[in-house]
Amino acid sequence: MALALDQQRAALDSWFARAQDALQRHDWRAAFAGYPRLDLADQPIPWAALPADLRSARLILVGSCGLSAPGQPPFDAANPYGDFSWRPIPADLALETTMIAHEHYDHGPALLDRNSIYPLARLRELVADGEIGGLTPLQFSLMGYLPDWRIVLDRLAPELAEQVAGQRPDAALLVPV
Amino acid sequence: MRVAMQGTRPPRVLITGYKNSEVIGPPNDHEEQLALVRAALKLLMEAETPGTVEELPKRF
């Protein structure tokens, strides 16, 4: 059974107090020992109807791989407290023009092929083949190192959800990395 | 690859989850990436309850 949310918030406060020095040193192993992950297991999950057929559904892709499009500022990947912003990614963007800023995963496969972390070109192909109804004009990217889940819960998630809903998708594919 | 329905209203949401930052498909393996995306979308369309979790085969 999950702790009440206010107890989880208090636990995160205590963790930040303990982890400050290690976070500043980028000593992730020390910092994240005993990290209180957010547990929403007891929370209700709303459910959405979908078109009966994927061929008439409009999808949106949201990835936490830290991609930014040309002209956009890169994510603040070096910040030990995370970067709680997001970037809109045009559905027709050439993925090889994107920049990756995220210090918490191996970029090797992604540098060879962005689709290995953000499969936008694969989704475009499925649209072209008629397997998916379409993609929304904008997709979204964020940088998934977000240690303060209170900010995710209180600000990032609702604000990004509003942006996503504004694109009027039928379904969203979230790709955490 | 672990995928989990975390439905919201609207849209319905599918989270493709990775352990230790696995990738959705091997780089430059077009067919394998397509297979994984199709498998995820199949679950997205066919899941009947929120919280549905399924392990997709890891083939690379």
Side-chain angles (χ1 to χ4, degrees), chain A residues 45-48 51 54 59 105 113 115-116 122 125 131 170-172 174-176, chain B residues 7-9 11-14 16 18 21 23-25 28 30 33 38 41 45 47:
Chain A
I45 305 173
W47 191 234
L54 190 58
L59 258 67
Y105 72 92
D113 177 6
N115 285 286
S116 64
R122 298 295 86 81
E125 290 161 9
E131 293 187 43
D170 295 302
L174 266 59
V175 182
Chain B
T8 185
R9 185 181 307 131
R12 183 181 291 193
V13 176
L14 177 75
T16 67
Y18 308 109
S21 297
V23 294
I24 198 161
N28 298 322
H30 186 268
Q33 290 175 0
R38 282 194 177 108
L41 293 176
M45 295 303 294

PDB file of all heavy atoms in Angstrom, chain A residues 45-48 51 54 59 105 113 115-116 122 125 131 170-172 174-176, chain B residues 7-9 11-14 16 18 21 23-25 28 30 33 38 41 45 47:
ATOM      1  N   ILE A  45      -7.020   5.308 -12.016  1.00  0.00           N
ATOM      2  CA  ILE A  45      -6.521   5.609 -13.355  1.00  0.00           C
ATOM      3  C   ILE A  45      -7.721   5.857 -14.262  1.00  0.00           C
ATOM      4  O   ILE A  45      -8.516   4.963 -14.497  1.00  0.00           O
ATOM      5  CB  ILE A  45      -5.692   4.440 -13.936  1.00  0.00           C
ATOM      6  CG1 ILE A  45      -4.558   4.069 -12.985  1.00  0.00           C
ATOM      7  CG2 ILE A  45      -5.147   4.804 -15.308  1.00  0.00           C
ATOM      8  CD1 ILE A  45      -3.794   2.821 -13.416  1.00  0.00           C
ATOM      9  N   PRO A  46      -7.866   7.095 -14.757  1.00  0.00           N
ATOM     10  CA  PRO A  46      -8.990   7.334 -15.672  1.00  0.00           C
ATOM     11  C   PRO A  46      -8.785   6.567 -16.982  1.00  0.00           C
ATOM     12  O   PRO A  46      -7.669   6.200 -17.324  1.00  0.00           O
ATOM     13  CB  PRO A  46      -8.949   8.840 -15.889  1.00  0.00           C
ATOM     14  CG  PRO A  46      -7.561   9.244 -15.560  1.00  0.00           C
ATOM     15  CD  PRO A  46      -7.042   8.281 -14.543  1.00  0.00           C
ATOM     16  N   TRP A  47      -9.836   6.344 -17.683  1.00  0.00           N
ATOM     17  CA  TRP A  47      -9.783   5.503 -18.877  1.00  0.00           C
ATOM     18  C   TRP A  47     -10.424   6.231 -20.031  1.00  0.00           C
ATOM     19  O   TRP A  47     -11.429   6.915 -19.860  1.00  0.00           O
ATOM     20  CB  TRP A  47     -10.519   4.189 -18.600  1.00  0.00           C
ATOM     21  CG  TRP A  47     -10.340   3.118 -19.615  1.00  0.00           C
ATOM     22  CD1 TRP A  47     -11.327   2.438 -20.265  1.00  0.00           C
ATOM     23  CD2 TRP A  47      -9.112   2.561 -20.078  1.00  0.00           C
ATOM     24  NE1 TRP A  47     -10.788   1.504 -21.101  1.00  0.00           N
ATOM     25  CE2 TRP A  47      -9.432   1.556 -21.017  1.00  0.00           C
ATOM     26  CE3 TRP A  47      -7.776   2.833 -19.819  1.00  0.00           C
ATOM     27  CZ2 TRP A  47      -8.457   0.816 -21.686  1.00  0.00           C
ATOM     28  CZ3 TRP A  47      -6.806   2.091 -20.477  1.00  0.00           C
ATOM     29  CH2 TRP A  47      -7.143   1.092 -21.390  1.00  0.00           C
ATOM     30  N   ALA A  48      -9.853   6.114 -21.195  1.00  0.00           N
ATOM     31  CA  ALA A  48     -10.351   6.840 -22.356  1.00  0.00           C
ATOM     32  C   ALA A  48     -10.781   5.882 -23.445  1.00  0.00           C
ATOM     33  O   ALA A  48     -10.104   4.888 -23.711  1.00  0.00           O
ATOM     34  CB  ALA A  48      -9.270   7.772 -22.889  1.00  0.00           C
ATOM     35  N   PRO A  51     -11.035   5.410 -30.924  1.00  0.00           N
ATOM     36  CA  PRO A  51     -11.688   4.954 -32.157  1.00  0.00           C
ATOM     37  C   PRO A  51     -11.499   3.449 -32.285  1.00  0.00           C
ATOM     38  O   PRO A  51     -10.501   2.902 -31.813  1.00  0.00           O
ATOM     39  CB  PRO A  51     -10.924   5.694 -33.253  1.00  0.00           C
ATOM     40  CG  PRO A  51     -10.279   6.847 -32.583  1.00  0.00           C
ATOM     41  CD  PRO A  51     -10.005   6.411 -31.170  1.00  0.00           C
ATOM     42  N   LEU A  54      -7.310   1.701 -35.395  1.00  0.00           N
ATOM     43  CA  LEU A  54      -6.103   2.534 -35.391  1.00  0.00           C
ATOM     44  C   LEU A  54      -6.007   3.361 -36.674  1.00  0.00           C
ATOM     45  O   LEU A  54      -5.440   4.447 -36.679  1.00  0.00           O
ATOM     46  CB  LEU A  54      -4.871   1.627 -35.242  1.00  0.00           C
ATOM     47  CG  LEU A  54      -3.519   2.265 -34.977  1.00  0.00           C
ATOM     48  CD1 LEU A  54      -3.540   3.101 -33.702  1.00  0.00           C
ATOM     49  CD2 LEU A  54      -2.431   1.192 -34.875  1.00  0.00           C
ATOM     50  N   LEU A  59      -2.428  10.046 -33.471  1.00  0.00           N
ATOM     51  CA  LEU A  59      -1.485   9.782 -32.376  1.00  0.00           C
ATOM     52  C   LEU A  59      -0.588  10.975 -32.103  1.00  0.00           C
ATOM     53  O   LEU A  59      -0.330  11.786 -32.980  1.00  0.00           O
ATOM     54  CB  LEU A  59      -0.593   8.589 -32.740  1.00  0.00           C
ATOM     55  CG  LEU A  59      -0.942   7.254 -32.087  1.00  0.00           C
ATOM     56  CD1 LEU A  59      -2.284   6.760 -32.599  1.00  0.00           C
ATOM     57  CD2 LEU A  59       0.132   6.227 -32.336  1.00  0.00           C
ATOM     58  N   TYR A 105      21.620   8.579 -19.848  1.00  0.00           N
ATOM     59  CA  TYR A 105      21.550   7.331 -20.619  1.00  0.00           C
ATOM     60  C   TYR A 105      22.619   7.355 -21.698  1.00  0.00           C
ATOM     61  O   TYR A 105      23.156   8.415 -22.042  1.00  0.00           O
ATOM     62  CB  TYR A 105      20.142   7.077 -21.200  1.00  0.00           C
ATOM     63  CG  TYR A 105      19.726   7.961 -22.357  1.00  0.00           C
ATOM     64  CD1 TYR A 105      19.956   7.582 -23.680  1.00  0.00           C
ATOM     65  CD2 TYR A 105      19.074   9.169 -22.128  1.00  0.00           C
ATOM     66  CE1 TYR A 105      19.548   8.386 -24.735  1.00  0.00           C
ATOM     67  CE2 TYR A 105      18.660   9.975 -23.176  1.00  0.00           C
ATOM     68  CZ  TYR A 105      18.901   9.571 -24.481  1.00  0.00           C
ATOM     69  OH  TYR A 105      18.494  10.365 -25.527  1.00  0.00           O
ATOM     70  N   ASP A 113      20.845   6.609 -34.682  1.00  0.00           N
ATOM     71  CA  ASP A 113      19.486   6.586 -35.226  1.00  0.00           C
ATOM     72  C   ASP A 113      18.535   7.065 -34.133  1.00  0.00           C
ATOM     73  O   ASP A 113      18.278   6.349 -33.167  1.00  0.00           O
ATOM     74  CB  ASP A 113      19.146   5.146 -35.661  1.00  0.00           C
ATOM     75  CG  ASP A 113      17.726   5.015 -36.165  1.00  0.00           C
ATOM     76  OD1 ASP A 113      17.024   6.034 -36.298  1.00  0.00           O
ATOM     77  OD2 ASP A 113      17.315   3.873 -36.433  1.00  0.00           O
ATOM     78  N   ASN A 115      15.489   7.228 -34.076  1.00  0.00           N
ATOM     79  CA  ASN A 115      14.290   6.398 -33.926  1.00  0.00           C
ATOM     80  C   ASN A 115      14.450   5.331 -32.855  1.00  0.00           C
ATOM     81  O   ASN A 115      13.463   4.767 -32.398  1.00  0.00           O
ATOM     82  CB  ASN A 115      13.945   5.711 -35.248  1.00  0.00           C
ATOM     83  CG  ASN A 115      13.325   6.682 -36.212  1.00  0.00           C
ATOM     84  OD1 ASN A 115      12.177   7.072 -36.065  1.00  0.00           O
ATOM     85  ND2 ASN A 115      14.114   7.101 -37.185  1.00  0.00           N
ATOM     86  N   SER A 116      15.674   5.059 -32.461  1.00  0.00           N
ATOM     87  CA  SER A 116      15.875   4.062 -31.416  1.00  0.00           C
ATOM     88  C   SER A 116      15.389   4.580 -30.065  1.00  0.00           C
ATOM     89  O   SER A 116      15.186   3.798 -29.141  1.00  0.00           O
ATOM     90  CB  SER A 116      17.347   3.646 -31.342  1.00  0.00           C
ATOM     91  OG  SER A 116      18.154   4.744 -30.973  1.00  0.00           O
ATOM     92  N   ARG A 122       9.274   6.129 -37.761  1.00  0.00           N
ATOM     93  CA  ARG A 122       8.512   4.873 -37.899  1.00  0.00           C
ATOM     94  C   ARG A 122       7.013   5.170 -37.871  1.00  0.00           C
ATOM     95  O   ARG A 122       6.237   4.582 -38.630  1.00  0.00           O
ATOM     96  CB  ARG A 122       8.874   3.902 -36.773  1.00  0.00           C
ATOM     97  CG  ARG A 122      10.328   3.434 -36.724  1.00  0.00           C
ATOM     98  CD  ARG A 122      10.718   2.594 -37.949  1.00  0.00           C
ATOM     99  NE  ARG A 122      11.148   3.419 -39.057  1.00  0.00           N
ATOM    100  CZ  ARG A 122      12.365   3.944 -39.188  1.00  0.00           C
ATOM    101  NH1 ARG A 122      13.279   3.681 -38.294  1.00  0.00           N
ATOM    102  NH2 ARG A 122      12.668   4.698 -40.223  1.00  0.00           N
ATOM    103  N   GLU A 125       5.876   6.534 -41.113  1.00  0.00           N
ATOM    104  CA  GLU A 125       5.731   5.477 -42.123  1.00  0.00           C
ATOM    105  C   GLU A 125       4.410   4.726 -41.950  1.00  0.00           C
ATOM    106  O   GLU A 125       3.752   4.373 -42.931  1.00  0.00           O
ATOM    107  CB  GLU A 125       6.906   4.506 -42.020  1.00  0.00           C
ATOM    108  CG  GLU A 125       8.228   5.105 -42.473  1.00  0.00           C
ATOM    109  CD  GLU A 125       9.435   4.341 -41.956  1.00  0.00           C
ATOM    110  OE1 GLU A 125       9.249   3.252 -41.382  1.00  0.00           O
ATOM    111  OE2 GLU A 125      10.551   4.845 -42.113  1.00  0.00           O
ATOM    112  N   GLU A 131      -1.727   2.590 -41.698  1.00  0.00           N
ATOM    113  CA  GLU A 131      -1.953   1.793 -40.478  1.00  0.00           C
ATOM    114  C   GLU A 131      -2.405   2.665 -39.314  1.00  0.00           C
ATOM    115  O   GLU A 131      -3.028   2.180 -38.374  1.00  0.00           O
ATOM    116  CB  GLU A 131      -0.689   1.031 -40.095  1.00  0.00           C
ATOM    117  CG  GLU A 131      -0.303  -0.050 -41.086  1.00  0.00           C
ATOM    118  CD  GLU A 131       0.856  -0.895 -40.593  1.00  0.00           C
ATOM    119  OE1 GLU A 131       0.875  -1.266 -39.411  1.00  0.00           O
ATOM    120  OE2 GLU A 131       1.766  -1.145 -41.413  1.00  0.00           O
ATOM    121  N   ASP A 170      -6.079  11.233 -30.350  1.00  0.00           N
ATOM    122  CA  ASP A 170      -6.919  10.170 -29.782  1.00  0.00           C
ATOM    123  C   ASP A 170      -6.116   9.332 -28.801  1.00  0.00           C
ATOM    124  O   ASP A 170      -6.671   8.752 -27.869  1.00  0.00           O
ATOM    125  CB  ASP A 170      -7.435   9.257 -30.898  1.00  0.00           C
ATOM    126  CG  ASP A 170      -8.358  10.000 -31.841  1.00  0.00           C
ATOM    127  OD1 ASP A 170      -9.363  10.537 -31.362  1.00  0.00           O
ATOM    128  OD2 ASP A 170      -8.060  10.045 -33.056  1.00  0.00           O
ATOM    129  N   ALA A 171      -4.829   9.237 -29.046  1.00  0.00           N
ATOM    130  CA  ALA A 171      -3.989   8.390 -28.208  1.00  0.00           C
ATOM    131  C   ALA A 171      -2.584   8.960 -28.165  1.00  0.00           C
ATOM    132  O   ALA A 171      -2.140   9.636 -29.092  1.00  0.00           O
ATOM    133  CB  ALA A 171      -3.953   6.966 -28.750  1.00  0.00           C
ATOM    134  N   ALA A 172      -1.910   8.686 -27.066  1.00  0.00           N
ATOM    135  CA  ALA A 172      -0.541   9.172 -26.899  1.00  0.00           C
ATOM    136  C   ALA A 172       0.386   7.996 -26.648  1.00  0.00           C
ATOM    137  O   ALA A 172       0.037   7.070 -25.918  1.00  0.00           O
ATOM    138  CB  ALA A 172      -0.464  10.155 -25.733  1.00  0.00           C
ATOM    139  N   LEU A 174       3.885   7.330 -25.025  1.00  0.00           N
ATOM    140  CA  LEU A 174       4.931   7.917 -24.190  1.00  0.00           C
ATOM    141  C   LEU A 174       6.140   7.008 -24.194  1.00  0.00           C
ATOM    142  O   LEU A 174       6.015   5.819 -23.902  1.00  0.00           O
ATOM    143  CB  LEU A 174       4.429   8.088 -22.750  1.00  0.00           C
ATOM    144  CG  LEU A 174       3.840   9.438 -22.366  1.00  0.00           C
ATOM    145  CD1 LEU A 174       2.658   9.783 -23.244  1.00  0.00           C
ATOM    146  CD2 LEU A 174       3.454   9.470 -20.915  1.00  0.00           C
ATOM    147  N   VAL A 175       7.265   7.560 -24.526  1.00  0.00           N
ATOM    148  CA  VAL A 175       8.483   6.762 -24.610  1.00  0.00           C
ATOM    149  C   VAL A 175       9.501   7.294 -23.619  1.00  0.00           C
ATOM    150  O   VAL A 175      10.249   8.215 -23.917  1.00  0.00           O
ATOM    151  CB  VAL A 175       9.052   6.772 -26.045  1.00  0.00           C
ATOM    152  CG1 VAL A 175      10.291   5.905 -26.141  1.00  0.00           C
ATOM    153  CG2 VAL A 175       8.000   6.296 -27.041  1.00  0.00           C
ATOM    154  N   PRO A 176       9.494   6.744 -22.403  1.00  0.00           N
ATOM    155  CA  PRO A 176      10.530   7.142 -21.442  1.00  0.00           C
ATOM    156  C   PRO A 176      11.867   6.526 -21.813  1.00  0.00           C
ATOM    157  O   PRO A 176      11.920   5.412 -22.319  1.00  0.00           O
ATOM    158  CB  PRO A 176      10.030   6.568 -20.109  1.00  0.00           C
ATOM    159  CG  PRO A 176       8.759   5.854 -20.401  1.00  0.00           C
ATOM    160  CD  PRO A 176       8.627   5.706 -21.874  1.00  0.00           C
TER     161      PRO A 176
ATOM    162  N   GLY B   7      -4.104   4.990 -18.861  1.00  0.00           N
ATOM    163  CA  GLY B   7      -5.128   5.756 -19.551  1.00  0.00           C
ATOM    164  C   GLY B   7      -5.435   7.087 -18.908  1.00  0.00           C
ATOM    165  O   GLY B   7      -5.375   7.255 -17.703  1.00  0.00           O
ATOM    166  N   THR B   8      -5.737   8.043 -19.736  1.00  0.00           N
ATOM    167  CA  THR B   8      -6.198   9.329 -19.256  1.00  0.00           C
ATOM    168  C   THR B   8      -7.348   9.717 -20.163  1.00  0.00           C
ATOM    169  O   THR B   8      -7.723   8.943 -21.007  1.00  0.00           O
ATOM    170  CB  THR B   8      -5.051  10.354 -19.282  1.00  0.00           C
ATOM    171  OG1 THR B   8      -5.502  11.559 -18.711  1.00  0.00           O
ATOM    172  CG2 THR B   8      -4.539  10.583 -20.667  1.00  0.00           C
ATOM    173  N   ARG B   9      -7.887  10.865 -19.991  1.00  0.00           N
ATOM    174  CA  ARG B   9      -9.105  11.144 -20.754  1.00  0.00           C
ATOM    175  C   ARG B   9      -9.120  12.562 -21.249  1.00  0.00           C
ATOM    176  O   ARG B   9      -9.239  13.454 -20.427  1.00  0.00           O
ATOM    177  CB  ARG B   9     -10.316  10.916 -19.859  1.00  0.00           C
ATOM    178  CG  ARG B   9     -11.628  11.065 -20.590  1.00  0.00           C
ATOM    179  CD  ARG B   9     -12.800  10.864 -19.698  1.00  0.00           C
ATOM    180  NE  ARG B   9     -12.690   9.602 -18.993  1.00  0.00           N
ATOM    181  CZ  ARG B   9     -12.850   9.455 -17.668  1.00  0.00           C
ATOM    182  NH1 ARG B   9     -13.144  10.460 -16.941  1.00  0.00           N
ATOM    183  NH2 ARG B   9     -12.741   8.311 -17.066  1.00  0.00           N
ATOM    184  N   PRO B  11      -6.070  12.036 -24.187  1.00  0.00           N
ATOM    185  CA  PRO B  11      -6.130  10.808 -24.962  1.00  0.00           C
ATOM    186  C   PRO B  11      -5.837   9.600 -24.089  1.00  0.00           C
ATOM    187  O   PRO B  11      -5.445   9.724 -22.928  1.00  0.00           O
ATOM    188  CB  PRO B  11      -4.994  11.017 -25.957  1.00  0.00           C
ATOM    189  CG  PRO B  11      -3.970  11.769 -25.159  1.00  0.00           C
ATOM    190  CD  PRO B  11      -4.760  12.681 -24.271  1.00  0.00           C
ATOM    191  N   ARG B  12      -6.006   8.455 -24.651  1.00  0.00           N
ATOM    192  CA  ARG B  12      -5.520   7.247 -23.991  1.00  0.00           C
ATOM    193  C   ARG B  12      -3.993   7.240 -24.121  1.00  0.00           C
ATOM    194  O   ARG B  12      -3.453   7.655 -25.143  1.00  0.00           O
ATOM    195  CB  ARG B  12      -6.107   6.002 -24.669  1.00  0.00           C
ATOM    196  CG  ARG B  12      -5.676   4.721 -23.974  1.00  0.00           C
ATOM    197  CD  ARG B  12      -6.243   3.505 -24.660  1.00  0.00           C
ATOM    198  NE  ARG B  12      -7.687   3.410 -24.488  1.00  0.00           N
ATOM    199  CZ  ARG B  12      -8.383   2.309 -24.783  1.00  0.00           C
ATOM    200  NH1 ARG B  12      -7.763   1.254 -25.252  1.00  0.00           N
ATOM    201  NH2 ARG B  12      -9.681   2.279 -24.617  1.00  0.00           N
ATOM    202  N   VAL B  13      -3.329   6.757 -23.092  1.00  0.00           N
ATOM    203  CA  VAL B  13      -1.872   6.854 -23.083  1.00  0.00           C
ATOM    204  C   VAL B  13      -1.248   5.477 -22.926  1.00  0.00           C
ATOM    205  O   VAL B  13      -1.684   4.681 -22.087  1.00  0.00           O
ATOM    206  CB  VAL B  13      -1.397   7.751 -21.919  1.00  0.00           C
ATOM    207  CG1 VAL B  13       0.111   7.777 -21.827  1.00  0.00           C
ATOM    208  CG2 VAL B  13      -1.931   9.166 -22.075  1.00  0.00           C
ATOM    209  N   LEU B  14      -0.278   5.223 -23.734  1.00  0.00           N
ATOM    210  CA  LEU B  14       0.519   4.002 -23.572  1.00  0.00           C
ATOM    211  C   LEU B  14       1.944   4.415 -23.249  1.00  0.00           C
ATOM    212  O   LEU B  14       2.539   5.224 -23.953  1.00  0.00           O
ATOM    213  CB  LEU B  14       0.520   3.174 -24.863  1.00  0.00           C
ATOM    214  CG  LEU B  14       1.391   1.921 -24.801  1.00  0.00           C
ATOM    215  CD1 LEU B  14       0.710   0.845 -23.975  1.00  0.00           C
ATOM    216  CD2 LEU B  14       1.696   1.391 -26.182  1.00  0.00           C
ATOM    217  N   THR B  16       5.675   3.160 -23.027  1.00  0.00           N
ATOM    218  CA  THR B  16       6.612   2.088 -23.325  1.00  0.00           C
ATOM    219  C   THR B  16       7.747   2.232 -22.340  1.00  0.00           C
ATOM    220  O   THR B  16       8.391   3.273 -22.270  1.00  0.00           O
ATOM    221  CB  THR B  16       7.160   2.197 -24.748  1.00  0.00           C
ATOM    222  OG1 THR B  16       7.955   3.366 -24.831  1.00  0.00           O
ATOM    223  CG2 THR B  16       6.042   2.274 -25.766  1.00  0.00           C
ATOM    224  N   TYR B  18      11.281   1.068 -20.258  1.00  0.00           N
ATOM    225  CA  TYR B  18      12.547   0.399 -20.469  1.00  0.00           C
ATOM    226  C   TYR B  18      13.212   0.159 -19.139  1.00  0.00           C
ATOM    227  O   TYR B  18      13.016   0.902 -18.194  1.00  0.00           O
ATOM    228  CB  TYR B  18      13.470   1.243 -21.339  1.00  0.00           C
ATOM    229  CG  TYR B  18      12.825   1.680 -22.606  1.00  0.00           C
ATOM    230  CD1 TYR B  18      12.467   2.993 -22.803  1.00  0.00           C
ATOM    231  CD2 TYR B  18      12.518   0.743 -23.571  1.00  0.00           C
ATOM    232  CE1 TYR B  18      11.843   3.381 -23.964  1.00  0.00           C
ATOM    233  CE2 TYR B  18      11.898   1.129 -24.724  1.00  0.00           C
ATOM    234  CZ  TYR B  18      11.563   2.453 -24.922  1.00  0.00           C
ATOM    235  OH  TYR B  18      10.929   2.827 -26.063  1.00  0.00           O
ATOM    236  N   SER B  21      17.335   2.116 -19.478  1.00  0.00           N
ATOM    237  CA  SER B  21      17.433   2.867 -20.722  1.00  0.00           C
ATOM    238  C   SER B  21      17.621   1.989 -21.952  1.00  0.00           C
ATOM    239  O   SER B  21      18.441   2.280 -22.820  1.00  0.00           O
ATOM    240  CB  SER B  21      18.554   3.910 -20.636  1.00  0.00           C
ATOM    241  OG  SER B  21      18.262   4.842 -19.644  1.00  0.00           O
ATOM    242  N   VAL B  23      16.501   0.752 -25.568  1.00  0.00           N
ATOM    243  CA  VAL B  23      15.962   1.583 -26.643  1.00  0.00           C
ATOM    244  C   VAL B  23      14.791   0.868 -27.290  1.00  0.00           C
ATOM    245  O   VAL B  23      14.566  -0.314 -27.083  1.00  0.00           O
ATOM    246  CB  VAL B  23      17.057   1.892 -27.689  1.00  0.00           C
ATOM    247  CG1 VAL B  23      18.133   2.754 -27.065  1.00  0.00           C
ATOM    248  CG2 VAL B  23      17.642   0.620 -28.262  1.00  0.00           C
ATOM    249  N   ILE B  24      14.013   1.621 -28.060  1.00  0.00           N
ATOM    250  CA  ILE B  24      12.806   1.038 -28.618  1.00  0.00           C
ATOM    251  C   ILE B  24      13.135   0.049 -29.727  1.00  0.00           C
ATOM    252  O   ILE B  24      12.368  -0.845 -30.025  1.00  0.00           O
ATOM    253  CB  ILE B  24      11.845   2.125 -29.128  1.00  0.00           C
ATOM    254  CG1 ILE B  24      10.443   1.541 -29.292  1.00  0.00           C
ATOM    255  CG2 ILE B  24      12.343   2.775 -30.413  1.00  0.00           C
ATOM    256  CD1 ILE B  24       9.353   2.555 -29.337  1.00  0.00           C
ATOM    257  N   GLY B  25      14.233   0.216 -30.322  1.00  0.00           N
ATOM    258  CA  GLY B  25      14.635  -0.731 -31.356  1.00  0.00           C
ATOM    259  C   GLY B  25      16.091  -0.511 -31.647  1.00  0.00           C
ATOM    260  O   GLY B  25      16.620   0.575 -31.399  1.00  0.00           O
ATOM    261  N   ASN B  28      19.062   1.749 -36.673  1.00  0.00           N
ATOM    262  CA  ASN B  28      19.127   1.405 -38.101  1.00  0.00           C
ATOM    263  C   ASN B  28      18.571   0.026 -38.423  1.00  0.00           C
ATOM    264  O   ASN B  28      18.848  -0.498 -39.493  1.00  0.00           O
ATOM    265  CB  ASN B  28      20.566   1.554 -38.638  1.00  0.00           C
ATOM    266  CG  ASN B  28      21.044   2.996 -38.509  1.00  0.00           C
ATOM    267  OD1 ASN B  28      20.275   3.924 -38.712  1.00  0.00           O
ATOM    268  ND2 ASN B  28      22.293   3.174 -38.130  1.00  0.00           N
ATOM    269  N   HIS B  30      15.350  -1.054 -39.231  1.00  0.00           N
ATOM    270  CA  HIS B  30      14.048  -0.506 -39.576  1.00  0.00           C
ATOM    271  C   HIS B  30      12.922  -1.476 -39.243  1.00  0.00           C
ATOM    272  O   HIS B  30      11.921  -1.116 -38.615  1.00  0.00           O
ATOM    273  CB  HIS B  30      14.091  -0.202 -41.072  1.00  0.00           C
ATOM    274  CG  HIS B  30      12.901   0.495 -41.596  1.00  0.00           C
ATOM    275  ND1 HIS B  30      11.826  -0.174 -42.124  1.00  0.00           N
ATOM    276  CD2 HIS B  30      12.615   1.807 -41.677  1.00  0.00           C
ATOM    277  CE1 HIS B  30      10.932   0.708 -42.508  1.00  0.00           C
ATOM    278  NE2 HIS B  30      11.378   1.911 -42.249  1.00  0.00           N
ATOM    279  N   GLN B  33      12.364  -2.002 -35.423  1.00  0.00           N
ATOM    280  CA  GLN B  33      11.713  -0.840 -34.818  1.00  0.00           C
ATOM    281  C   GLN B  33      10.230  -0.818 -35.151  1.00  0.00           C
ATOM    282  O   GLN B  33       9.384  -0.579 -34.293  1.00  0.00           O
ATOM    283  CB  GLN B  33      12.384   0.447 -35.307  1.00  0.00           C
ATOM    284  CG  GLN B  33      13.783   0.652 -34.767  1.00  0.00           C
ATOM    285  CD  GLN B  33      14.448   1.880 -35.363  1.00  0.00           C
ATOM    286  OE1 GLN B  33      13.860   2.584 -36.177  1.00  0.00           O
ATOM    287  NE2 GLN B  33      15.686   2.128 -34.973  1.00  0.00           N
ATOM    288  N   ARG B  38       4.619  -1.402 -33.710  1.00  0.00           N
ATOM    289  CA  ARG B  38       3.326  -2.046 -34.005  1.00  0.00           C
ATOM    290  C   ARG B  38       2.820  -2.823 -32.788  1.00  0.00           C
ATOM    291  O   ARG B  38       1.623  -2.802 -32.483  1.00  0.00           O
ATOM    292  CB  ARG B  38       3.470  -3.002 -35.191  1.00  0.00           C
ATOM    293  CG  ARG B  38       3.490  -2.327 -36.532  1.00  0.00           C
ATOM    294  CD  ARG B  38       3.287  -3.344 -37.647  1.00  0.00           C
ATOM    295  NE  ARG B  38       3.239  -2.723 -38.948  1.00  0.00           N
ATOM    296  CZ  ARG B  38       4.222  -2.812 -39.857  1.00  0.00           C
ATOM    297  NH1 ARG B  38       5.298  -3.520 -39.597  1.00  0.00           N
ATOM    298  NH2 ARG B  38       4.102  -2.208 -41.024  1.00  0.00           N
ATOM    299  N   LEU B  41       1.453  -0.377 -30.291  1.00  0.00           N
ATOM    300  CA  LEU B  41       0.180   0.193 -30.734  1.00  0.00           C
ATOM    301  C   LEU B  41      -0.951  -0.828 -30.647  1.00  0.00           C
ATOM    302  O   LEU B  41      -2.097  -0.479 -30.387  1.00  0.00           O
ATOM    303  CB  LEU B  41       0.313   0.726 -32.165  1.00  0.00           C
ATOM    304  CG  LEU B  41       1.249   1.926 -32.309  1.00  0.00           C
ATOM    305  CD1 LEU B  41       1.384   2.320 -33.782  1.00  0.00           C
ATOM    306  CD2 LEU B  41       0.763   3.110 -31.492  1.00  0.00           C
ATOM    307  N   MET B  45      -4.426  -0.200 -28.598  1.00  0.00           N
ATOM    308  CA  MET B  45      -5.779  -0.305 -29.153  1.00  0.00           C
ATOM    309  C   MET B  45      -6.612  -1.368 -28.455  1.00  0.00           C
ATOM    310  O   MET B  45      -7.824  -1.222 -28.328  1.00  0.00           O
ATOM    311  CB  MET B  45      -5.704  -0.640 -30.649  1.00  0.00           C
ATOM    312  CG  MET B  45      -5.085   0.441 -31.507  1.00  0.00           C
ATOM    313  SD  MET B  45      -5.918   2.040 -31.372  1.00  0.00           S
ATOM    314  CE  MET B  45      -7.519   1.669 -32.077  1.00  0.00           C
ATOM    315  N   ALA B  47      -6.126  -2.963 -25.322  1.00  0.00           N
ATOM    316  CA  ALA B  47      -6.257  -3.061 -23.860  1.00  0.00           C
ATOM    317  C   ALA B  47      -7.667  -2.657 -23.443  1.00  0.00           C
ATOM    318  O   ALA B  47      -8.242  -1.717 -23.978  1.00  0.00           O
ATOM    319  CB  ALA B  47      -5.231  -2.173 -23.187  1.00  0.00           C
TER     320      ALA B  47
END
